[in-house]
Amino acid sequence: MVAVALAGGLFTAASGCAAEPPSPRERLIQDLKTEPQFKDYSDKQVECLADAYIKYAKPEAIELIMQGKTPADSGWKDGVDGRTLTRDLAACNGPIAPSPTG
């Protein structure tokens, strides 16, 4: 009887735990996958874009964009180097795996 009560208590405790909400990165990946301009992107390319946005964009700007709104300013974090940002975003557009033909 004690074992049944303990097992029942553990089951109740475990089933009462809520699943963790998706991280901002996971939410952004899912959002990007719904955008028509990224429909031909591989999962790796979408993940690459999400990582660049997380690295360079302000969190509040990402939230606004996922809501279909436009940030009041550029949306990029202060001090972001435009060349580095452009390079990192451009790297996501190219092939992720090296071409077998070089």
Side-chain angles (χ1 to χ4, degrees), residues 8-75:
L10 289 175
F11 177 74
T12 303
S15 64
C17 295
E20 287 190 36
S23 70
R25 180 183 183 269
E26 291 167 339
R27 289 180 46 234
L28 182 56
I29 288 170
Q30 292 307 312
D31 187 69
L32 290 171
K33 286 181 176 182
T34 66
E35 296 293 326
Q37 67 263 36
F38 302 118
K39 70 178 176 70
D40 294 328
Y41 279 47
S42 70
D43 288 346
K44 291 278 187 199
Q45 288 173 305
V46 173
E47 290 170 7
C48 179
L49 286 173
D51 290 340
Y53 291 140
I54 296 291
K55 182 176 181 179
Y56 296 112
K58 297 174 186 174
E60 57 272 13
I62 293 171
E63 287 296 325
L64 286 171
I65 291 168
M66 287 193 297
Q67 296 170 14
K69 300 175 183 173
T70 304
D73 59 5
S74 72

Side-chain angles (χ1 to χ4, degrees), residues 62-94:
I62 293 171
E63 287 296 325
L64 286 171
I65 291 168
M66 287 193 297
Q67 296 170 14
K69 300 175 183 173
T70 304
D73 59 5
S74 72
W76 302 116
K77 294 177 182 173
D78 293 335
V80 169
D81 176 47
R83 284 184 281 206
T84 303
L85 170 64
T86 301
R87 183 198 67 220
D88 287 359
L89 290 174
C92 299
N93 293 323

